[in-house]
Amino acid sequence: MTEENLPDEPGAESAAADELAFDVDDLPGGALAALEAVLMVADEPIPAVRLATVLALPTARVEALLDELAAEYRGDLGGRPRGFEVRRAGDGWRVYSAPVYADVVGRFVLEGQTARLTQAALETLAVIAYRQPVTRGQVSAVRGVNVDGVVRTLTTRGLVAEVGTDPSSGAVLYQTTGYFLERMGLSSLDEMPPLAPYLPDIDSFEGVDQAIGDNR
């Protein structure tokens, strides 16, 4: 049997078919646009070899395309500098916001996170801290107002967290977090001032969760 008549290796035909299933150069914007599309959905740096596999292109060409994109985003090719850049991070590549805009991006990311808590939020946080674990319904009963929005704010700020459900009502239980202790300068809840005796006993509000349907 001659070499020409030897049977193909297993999977060779399917691999070749996969490589020919599409040609990124035929897509709108060509290989550059295809590369951008992949990088835009990456949540971690992607090695050039992996990008080459996805695009069915030689690794050397993908690396050249990455360099071209980086230059384009910097404005080196005649266009305006972009607010983002593509750069190597470790063994891979990823799109990042440009460092020069760090202050602007920081304001967006931290918006509301450094603002002082409202009086309502502080009162709600105090009830949770001294009577945890506690449901939203129980906190609402103590404060006399609905606290759903306030609890969501405290959860977003990382000061309280869900810790399970109440066995009798199925309502979500909340308690303070380690970040709460850090912000308060405490090493444990035992160091909090003795305010608890002035708060009503949570047991006195048994059944309040069923009454308001707080089983989320």
Side-chain angles (χ1 to χ4, degrees), residues 201-213:
D201 193 332
I202 289 300
D203 292 338
S204 64
F205 298 109
E206 183 178 357
V208 68
D209 297 311
Q210 292 94 329
I212 66 175

Side-chain angles (χ1 to χ4, degrees), residues 19-179:
E19 291 180 1
L20 297 175
F22 67 93
D23 187 339
V24 293
D25 289 311
D26 293 336
L27 298 173
L32 274 175
L35 179 57
E36 284 181 312
V38 174
L39 289 171
M40 285 298 178
V41 299
D43 57 3
E44 61 183 6
I46 308 299
V49 172
R50 183 180 174 194
L51 291 170
T53 301
V54 171
L55 300 176
L57 295 174
T59 302
R61 185 181 175 198
V62 169
E63 291 175 339
L65 291 173
L66 288 165
D67 289 336
E68 183 176 346
L69 282 180
E72 179 183 343
Y73 296 162
R74 289 194 302 266
D76 295 349
L77 304 183
R80 67 171 177 82
R82 307 295 179 85
F84 52 88
E85 64 181 20
V86 59
R87 67 173 183 264
R88 187 188 297 274
D91 295 329
W93 294 76
R94 187 182 176 189
V95 173
Y96 297 88
S97 60
V100 69
Y101 305 110
D103 291 341
V104 177
V105 174
R107 288 185 61 184
F108 170 75
V109 173
L110 298 176
E111 184 178 6
Q113 298 302 303
T114 57
R116 297 183 63 180
L117 293 175
T118 64
Q119 184 65 32
L122 288 172
E123 292 175 2
T124 300
L125 183 58
V127 174
I128 295 174
Y130 282 100
R131 287 296 187 239
Q132 58 188 308
V134 65
T135 67
R136 287 197 305 265
Q138 292 168 337
V139 178
S140 294
V142 172
R143 294 200 56 233
V145 296
N146 185 289
V147 299
D148 287 5
V150 178
V151 171
R152 282 195 296 271
T153 297
L154 294 173
T155 302
T156 300
R157 298 281 288 268
L159 296 169
V160 303
E162 298 181 5
V163 291
T165 56
D166 181 82
S168 61
S169 67
V172 175
L173 290 167
Y174 293 86
Q175 71 178 31
T176 55
T177 64
Y179 180 64

